[in-house]
Amino acid sequence: MKSILRTIFFLLLFFSALTGRAQEAGMSFPVASGAQLVLISDQFSFTEGPAADQQGNVFFTDQPNNKIWKYATDGTLSVFKDHAGRSNGLFFTAEGDLIACADEHNQLWSISPQGDVNVLLRDFRGKALNGPNDAWVSPNGNIYFTDPYYQRDYWTRTRPELEKEAVYLLRRGDSQPLVLDESMRRPNGIIGSADGRFLYVADRVGNKTYRYSVKKDGTLKDKTLFADEGSDGMTMDNRGNVYLTGDGVAVYNRDGVKILHIPVPAKWTANVCFGGPDGDWLFITASQFLYKLKMQVRANGR
């Protein structure tokens, strides 16, 4: 009985928080009317890195168990890849390959639809990367990724080889990346606009999220503070809203105004993406859980 009452209480708080924030901000409500947070599964150790393919199937990692899972549009769950390089952040290319931040050996991978691995990046100028964490692929195929240092219990090393924790650009076809920004304390979540004009990067320790303009050569300019809040993983919707994670999901409009907070019943909300056949479900990886929430908005670019 107590657990039922707790659930009812949480749901009341959930919808009160959602509607209150949106009304206060005077913004259109991104969550579908009457939508409830749906628990898909709690069988994992720690979920991360959700990314949707062109059909809307959602792939995500269970990093402690070294697996990449697939949640298909028909509602079935299956293991897409075992021995997944302790992958963290994921993102699909236009060709359907899955870019994976494989920090077991501090690498960046490209995984084919059949699960074959191509190691795109093994080091930076002969030194081990800190541990690629999150990635975004621009419309022209350039890969932007963050490289913070989080000590892992499956590493033998106990200190980084690089002096800085940076944001990088791996141009399509290149074998080494460019350093774009090494001023953050711990760059983490990263996402870009569908047209490739803007890049958003969160400094998790600095507790800030920044927006950059992307130049024609792929490098960045016009760094500005977007939100006075950091994030683990990030996503965007087709209205230009940016979704930050940590204590649930915080939603900011394109002007950097916080319009919504989505509470999530988990110790930590790690990441989010849009998926489903129509791209209008928000998938949330949080501790041992995978959730989804029906939205009025859709995936970035749809």
Side-chain angles (χ1 to χ4, degrees), residues 51-127:
D53 64 15
Q54 292 182 355
Q55 291 71 46
N57 304 300
V58 173
F59 294 70
F60 63 98
T61 69
D62 184 3
Q63 194 176 39
N65 292 314
N66 203 14
K67 298 179 188 296
I68 297 176
W69 285 79
K70 175 183 177 181
Y71 179 73
T73 54
D74 64 5
T76 57
L77 264 174
S78 61
V79 175
F80 169 68
K81 187 167 185 60
D82 256 322
H83 308 293
R86 302 282 186 171
S87 289
N88 195 339
L90 307 172
F91 203 90
F92 275 96
T93 68
E95 294 77 21
D97 294 320
L98 186 60
I99 302 302
C101 295
D103 80 358
E104 183 174 18
H105 300 295
N106 321 114
Q107 298 173 341
L108 196 65
W109 287 5
S110 176
I111 307 174
S112 74
Q114 295 74 38
D116 299 320
V117 173
N118 176 27
V119 180
L120 299 177
L121 192 60
R122 299 177 185 274
D123 59 52
F124 179 58
R125 298 174 183 169
K127 294 184 178 182

Side-chain angles (χ1 to χ4, degrees), residues 181-192:
D181 190 343
E182 54 184 14
S183 65
M184 295 187 195
R185 295 172 64 187
R186 187 145 298 159
N188 201 307
I190 189 169
I191 194 68

Side-chain angles (χ1 to χ4, degrees), residues 7-301:
T7 301
I8 294 171
F9 179 68
F10 171 75
L11 289 174
L12 288 172
L13 286 178
F14 178 77
F15 290 112
S16 175
L18 290 182
T19 54
R21 278 290 187 181
Q23 289 169 357
E24 286 171 15
M27 304 293 176
S28 58
F29 196 47
V31 179
S33 178
Q36 298 182 27
L37 199 63
V38 177
L39 174 63
I40 296 171
S41 181
D42 62 356
Q43 64 182 287
F44 315 105
S45 293
F46 191 84
T47 55
E48 250 286 12
D53 64 15
Q54 292 182 355
Q55 291 71 46
N57 304 300
V58 173
F59 294 70
F60 63 98
T61 69
D62 184 3
Q63 194 176 39
N65 292 314
N66 203 14
K67 298 179 188 296
I68 297 176
W69 285 79
K70 175 183 177 181
Y71 179 73
T73 54
D74 64 5
T76 57
L77 264 174
S78 61
V79 175
F80 169 68
K81 187 167 185 60
D82 256 322
H83 308 293
R86 302 282 186 171
S87 289
N88 195 339
L90 307 172
F91 203 90
F92 275 96
T93 68
E95 294 77 21
D97 294 320
L98 186 60
I99 302 302
C101 295
D103 80 358
E104 183 174 18
H105 300 295
N106 321 114
Q107 298 173 341
L108 196 65
W109 287 5
S110 176
I111 307 174
S112 74
Q114 295 74 38
D116 299 320
V117 173
N118 176 27
V119 180
L120 299 177
L121 192 60
R122 299 177 185 274
D123 59 52
F124 179 58
R125 298 174 183 169
K127 294 184 178 182
L129 291 162
N130 293 318
N133 183 276
D134 203 6
W136 174 70
V137 183
S138 71
N140 64 5
N142 288 339
I143 301 171
Y144 295 80
F145 68 97
T146 56
D147 186 46
Y149 188 87
Y150 293 103
Q151 184 64 48
R152 306 299 192 188
D153 58 12
Y154 44 82
W155 289 347
T156 55
R157 64 171 177 165
T158 57
R159 63 182 62 184
E161 294 184 18
L162 297 173
E163 293 183 6
K164 299 287 187 177
E165 302 182 26
V167 181
Y168 290 90
L169 162 63
L170 182 65
R171 288 194 180 110
R172 187 171 190 147
D174 283 1
S175 59
Q176 281 286 289
L178 299 174
V179 176
L180 297 178
D181 190 343
E182 54 184 14
S183 65
M184 295 187 195
R185 295 172 64 187
R186 187 145 298 159
N188 201 307
I190 189 169
I191 194 68
S193 60
D195 59 10
R197 294 175 55 208
F198 299 103
L199 185 74
Y200 299 80
V201 184
D203 184 346
R204 185 169 159 190
V205 172
N207 201 31
K208 309 285 184 187
T209 298
Y210 298 94
R211 178 171 58 196
Y212 307 79
S213 296
V214 180
K215 300 191 320 191
K216 288 183 179 180
D217 65 358
T219 58
L220 305 177
K221 65 177 182 178
D222 303 331
K223 178 181 179 180
T224 58
L225 179 64
F226 175 73
D228 214 3
E229 180 175 353
S231 184
D232 196 339
M234 304 166 63
T235 196
M236 292 183 71
D237 66 30
N238 62 340
R239 292 182 188 166
N241 297 319
V242 178
Y243 295 67
L244 308 182
T245 59
D247 176 18
V249 181
V251 186
Y252 286 79
N253 69 12
R254 63 175 70 241
D255 297 318
V257 177
K258 189 172 184 177
I259 61 171
L260 186 63
H261 177 257
I262 303 172
V264 177
K267 290 181 179 178
W268 182 255
T269 302
N271 215 326
V272 284
C273 81
F274 281 87
D278 299 315
D280 57 354
W281 283 91
L282 182 68
F283 287 83
I284 303 170
T285 54
S287 301
Q288 71 267 36
F289 307 107
L290 176 66
Y291 292 101
K292 65 178 182 178
L293 180 65
K294 185 72 169 179
M295 306 294 285
Q296 293 195 87
V297 292
R298 298 178 186 274
N300 191 15

